[in-house]
Amino acid sequence: VQLVESGGGSVQAGGSLRLSCAASELSYSTACMGWFRQAPGQEREWVASMYIGDSSTYYSDSVKGRFTISQDSAKNTVYLQMNSLKPEDTAMYYCAADSVGPIGMSNPLPADFGYWGQGTQVTVS
């Protein structure tokens, strides 16, 4: 499975960006899709996840109500719509996928996902 992120950039606080994650397939191998982010000197942090089969979505408390994860199965693409961006959202954002995903969605870990994209930078000033 290959994942390619796009859509990052620089935006002022309060602005919006939409990240895209184009997957080589949306199948049993990518049953669970997620977005993580990593700021310089910090650990990779879970942002949002969804199960492709039933489109159930999950969010970290830090982005709940501002970010939305969605899919377009016809395009094998998962999106992360980010609104009301804050400077603390500045990070490299990574798309991830796994055939199973985490046992629970309270705090998914990077180790719960087997496939990763190369990342796209988001800078909020």
Side-chain angles (χ1 to χ4, degrees):
V1 176
Q2 293 183 332
L3 305 173
V4 179
E5 303 97 331
S6 61
S10 297
V11 64
Q12 291 188 338
S16 298
L17 283 174
R18 188 178 77 160
L19 306 183
S20 299
C21 173
S24 56
E25 60 184 273
L26 286 184
S27 67
Y28 67 92
S29 296
T30 55
C32 183
M33 300 288 293
W35 287 94
F36 285 75
R37 65 187 182 187
Q38 188 168 20
Q42 297 188 18
E43 294 185 350
R44 194 165 293 191
E45 172 193 26
W46 172 66
V47 175
S49 298
M50 76 180 304
Y51 286 102
I52 299 301
D54 64 5
S55 296
S56 54
T57 58
Y58 306 85
Y59 301 93
S60 68
D61 288 342
S62 62
V63 307
K64 195 174 297 181
R66 300 188 297 123
F67 291 11
T68 303
I69 187 171
S70 62
Q71 64 167 315
D72 184 337
S73 56
K75 297 181 179 180
N76 284 358
T77 299
V78 172
Y79 302 98
L80 185 68
Q81 177 68 44
M82 306 186 295
N83 298 329
S84 302
L85 282 161
K86 305 174 181 180
E88 50 263 45
D89 294 318
T90 295
M92 183 72 79
Y93 282 71
Y94 297 91
C95 178
D98 196 81
S99 59
V100 176
I103 295 177
M105 284 295 185
S106 61
N107 188 25
L109 300 174
D112 293 324
F113 293 82
Y115 303 102
W116 290 87
Q118 82 290 348
T120 185
Q121 178 68 37
V122 171
T123 302
V124 185
S125 59

